Amino acid sequence: MSISLSNVSQLLLRNDTLLSAKTPLFINLMADGFIEHYLSDNSNAKISCYNTNYIDHQALKKQYNNRITSSFTSEYHTELTHDLVVINFPKSKGELAFTLAMIAPFLDIDAKIFLVGEKKGGVQSSPKLTQAFLNNCQKVDAARHCLLFVGIVKAESLNKAFILNDWFEKYQLSVGGITLTIASLPGVFSQKKLDVGTALLLENLPRVMKGKVLDFGCGAGVISCFIGKKFADTELCLLDVSALAIASAKKTLALNHIPGHVFASNSLSEVSEKYQHVVSNPPFHQGTKTSYLASEEFLRGIKPHLQHNGNITIVANSFLQYLPIMQQHIGNSRSLLSKQGFSIYYADRK
């Protein structure tokens, strides 16, 4: 078995006979070779892959092109009816309920639903979390520190219409005399309240902001909406790797009547413009795992996207070594303050 396969994919391939299907749907699986194995064993299958992570979606699309149908969106749609679904267990339990409700209109009456994930990610709670949606959800295998569960979708689950708008969690926040309404889908960072790091960043933005602003890893759009309300002469651009974050940011902008361009990007892969201001509470989680790669790539690559005299302000956990990266790759960088376990870093391009 290829060592490039993730633990999750290795567990799935141990159970390949259980996964045989005509119209399978794979949700948030990595582009690590599992699909290649599945195609070789199920050459007539019409494979659909749905990913909320732009990196995995792009990789699957590049590798398998016309051999599968790959979609990246906040709301899944298809003309097919799926007889089997494999879900990579999400880090948020709310996102699991969201995903199950979303795919329900596209399932066969006896569709098998497999849930797979690392033990430490919470997958062992699958039977309890899915009891309203699945019949007889039970563990079928355990290996590589991962678990695999399977259940049959309940007939009554198939008849419920899915309305994306019903799944937004909304709350109000007030910072520095500015009141905003935030909308966030399950699994999006800081879904129910303003996090400490972002609050600190909002208090330490440049005193004057105008021109193009890039919000890197925008999440639900809190930072951009605050800037848009406080500084009328800004043009907001927001990026994130998550389809659910992108939908949330668009909703938040609309609720606050603030214009902005929101787009998907793998770090800076889709960034082509120059900005007067860059702001970020950089993400450091990839699924359930901690990963600093995208944020470090962002800091190493942002300088060409800063206008002359442009600046960047970020907040990060104080233990992260971002300042040396900024000093090396951007130049004039310094720490503005450290508080409550977070640091604010600032750099400008002269």
Side-chain angles (χ1 to χ4, degrees), residues 1 28 66 94 117 124 130 182 188 237 239 243 280 307 314 318 333 336 349:
M1 190 174 290
N28 287 329
N66 298 324
Q124 67 271 15
T130 61
I182 309 303
V188 175
C237 299
L239 74 79
S280 183
Q307 294 173 0
I314 72 167
S318 296
S333 308
L336 297 184
R349 181 176 185 178

Side-chain angles (χ1 to χ4, degrees), residues 109-336:
I109 194 160
D110 293 321
K112 288 182 183 177
I113 310 293
F114 287 86
L115 295 151
V116 63
E118 296 190 3
K119 289 179 184 176
K120 62 185 179 184
V123 68
Q124 67 271 15
S125 58
S126 293
K128 182 180 177 182
L129 293 175
T130 61
Q131 56 191 5
F133 192 85
L134 299 179
N135 284 317
N136 197 28
C137 182
Q138 56 186 303
K139 185 172 74 175
V140 290
D141 199 6
R144 311 284 184 185
H145 309 292
C146 298
L147 298 172
L148 179 64
F149 290 83
V150 66
I152 305 295
V153 65
K154 289 184 175 180
E156 59 266 32
S157 302
L158 303 176
N159 301 320
K160 296 177 182 175
F162 179 78
I163 301 167
L164 183 67
N165 207 43
D166 293 346
W167 289 85
F168 284 101
E169 186 91 33
K170 294 173 187 167
Y171 63 95
Q172 282 204 317
L173 61 87
S174 294
V175 183
I178 291 172
T179 300
L180 299 170
T181 301
I182 309 303
S184 185
L185 289 172
V188 175
F189 177 68
S190 195
Q191 192 201 1
K192 297 183 180 179
K193 63 179 181 178
L194 181 64
D195 63 285
V196 174
T198 299
L200 200 60
L201 178 64
L202 297 182
E203 293 167 5
N204 291 277
L205 291 169
R207 290 183 182 177
V208 177
M209 297 181 75
K210 61 181 180 179
K212 278 185 180 287
V213 178
L214 177 66
D215 182 351
F216 178 88
C218 63
V222 175
I223 298 170
S224 283
C225 279
F226 179 84
I227 292 170
K229 276 265 178 111
K230 187 171 183 178
F231 304 103
D233 293 332
T234 51
E235 182 183 337
L236 302 171
C237 299
L238 301 75
L239 74 79
D240 206 284
V241 75
S242 161
L244 304 185
I246 289 166
S248 300
K250 287 179 178 178
K251 186 75 169 176
T252 298
L253 288 168
L255 287 171
N256 294 283
H257 309 291
I258 296 169
H261 171 54
V262 191
F263 62 100
S265 186
N266 171 8
S267 190
L268 295 169
S269 68
E270 309 303 318
V271 175
S272 57
E273 298 185 69
K274 288 180 180 281
Y275 301 90
Q276 186 61 38
H277 306 279
V278 176
V279 292
S280 183
N281 182 351
F284 59 89
H285 285 96
Q286 175 79 14
T288 58
K289 295 183 178 178
T290 302
S291 172
Y292 311 104
L293 188 61
S295 297
E296 291 178 1
E297 282 180 3
F298 153 63
L299 293 173
R300 289 189 182 99
I302 193 61
K303 186 175 180 179
H305 300 288
L306 285 173
Q307 294 173 0
H308 182 64
N309 290 326
N311 55 59
I312 173 172
T313 312
I314 72 167
V315 63
N317 292 72
S318 296
F319 66 84
L320 296 173
Q321 296 300 304
Y322 287 166
L323 187 57
I325 297 174
M326 293 173 70
Q327 289 170 334
Q328 181 181 352
H329 294 277
I330 302 170
N332 189 26
S333 308
R334 62 188 185 275
S335 174
L336 297 184

Side-chain angles (χ1 to χ4, degrees), residues 3-16:
I3 58 170
S4 67
L5 288 169
S6 66
N7 288 339
V8 161
S9 291
Q10 290 182 50
L11 179 58
L12 290 174
L13 287 174
R14 272 169 54 110
N15 295 275
D16 54 353

